[in-house]
């Protein structure tokens, strides 16, 4: 009899915890933030600068936790030295399995002959276990990039990268023309396209412009908003 009374008391507490003082049911707030991972490879820092702005944009959305990750380098120090590549930042290096923790992604890389760099392709090649179990299926993902010239792959780099998302069942989220007037800038050099934010590195000395950084911020906010909506709907 005593056990029954205790059980009934506990049940009463649980039931009433969802009610306001007026007796109406309350909606419990989600205890888990929407996680957006910005995963990138950057040899000379151009992609990294865009990634930092994308993180700021994603983090500006309430209830979103944005985190920067870089993929592992595949070139040895001797080769990197001959290419005058600076030391990597202290952004943590991601492993394939850590992708499953996120609700949405923005992947960034420099172009190599109109496609993503080998370092990032090697990372995607390591995600076979996630592909087999389709753990990334249904999650939104965007793409950003850096090229050396106007004809160097501002669209083809993103277009050829979409195949990686498709095989994982991810939802490609382009920015379209949601950036507004900035998409039609003709007086200044500006990277990016409806596929995603971008920049021109030129000979390496050019850094992302203010407009390119604004577009990157917009992309982060855009994708984070969609990731949050999808998680809420689920």
């Amino acid at each position: 009899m005593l056990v029954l009374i205790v059980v009934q008391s506990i049940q009463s507490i649980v039931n009433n915890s969802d009610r306001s003082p007026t007796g109406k049911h309350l909606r419990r707030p989600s205890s888990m933030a929407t996680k957006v991972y910005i995963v990138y490879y950057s040899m000379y820092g151009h992609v990294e600068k865009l990634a930092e702005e994308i993180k700021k944009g994603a983090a500006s959305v309430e209830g979103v936790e944005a985190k920067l990750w870089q993929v592992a380098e595949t070139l040895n120090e001797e080769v990197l030295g001959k290419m005058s590549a600076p030391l990597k930042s202290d952004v943590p290096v991601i492993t394939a399995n850590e992708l499953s923790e996120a609700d949405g992604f923005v992947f960034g890389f420099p172009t190599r002959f109109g496609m993503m760099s080998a370092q990032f392709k090697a990372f995607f090649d390591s995600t076979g276990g996630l592909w087999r179990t389709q753990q990334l299926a249904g999650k939104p993902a965007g793409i950003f990039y850096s090229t050396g010239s106007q004809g160097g792959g501002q669209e083809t780099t993103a277009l050829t990268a979409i195949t990686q998302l498709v095989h994982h069942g991810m939802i490609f989220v382009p920015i379209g023309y949601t950036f507004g007037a900035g998409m039609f800038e003709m007086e200044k050099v500006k990277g990016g396209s409806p596929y995603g934010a971008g920049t021109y590195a030129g000979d390496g000395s050019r850094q992302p412009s203010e407009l390119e950084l604004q577009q990157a911020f917009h992309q982060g906010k855009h994708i984070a908003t969609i990731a949050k909506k999808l998680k809420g709907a689920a």
Side-chain angles (χ1 to χ4, degrees), residues 90-119:
D90 58 359
V91 171
V93 174
I94 194 170
T95 62
N97 288 336
E98 285 171 308
L99 288 177
S100 63
E101 302 168 358
D103 302 297
F105 310 94
V106 198
F107 298 118
F109 28 77
T111 186
R112 298 291 185 266
F113 302 110
M115 302 176 70
M116 69 171 64
S117 63
Q119 290 87 344

Side-chain angles (χ1 to χ4, degrees), residues 137-216:
K139 296 186 177 185
I143 295 168
F144 63 105
Y145 38 81
S146 172
T147 69
S149 65
Q150 293 185 10
Q154 286 283 312
E155 290 193 352
T156 60
T157 302
L159 185 61
T160 53
I162 292 174
T163 59
Q164 312 297 310
L165 311 184
V166 169
H167 283 265
H168 277 287
M170 287 186 274
I171 303 169
F172 175 52
V173 180
I175 60 174
Y177 284 83
T178 59
F179 187 49
M183 295 296 294
F184 299 94
E185 173 59 49
M186 298 294 288
E187 299 300 319
K188 302 175 182 177
V189 174
K190 185 191 80 68
S193 71
Y195 290 94
T199 188
Y200 293 115
D203 61 1
S205 61
R206 183 184 185 274
Q207 296 299 314
S209 68
E210 184 61 32
L211 187 58
E212 290 170 338
L213 294 176
Q214 290 173 7
Q215 186 177 42

Side-chain angles (χ1 to χ4, degrees), residues 56-79:
K56 293 177 185 177
S60 72
V61 178
E62 185 179 359
V64 171
E65 178 186 309
K67 185 172 183 178
L68 288 176
W69 296 90
Q70 57 181 327
V71 303
E73 180 60 78
T74 59
L75 300 176
N76 62 43
E77 292 299 325
E78 181 181 359
V79 173

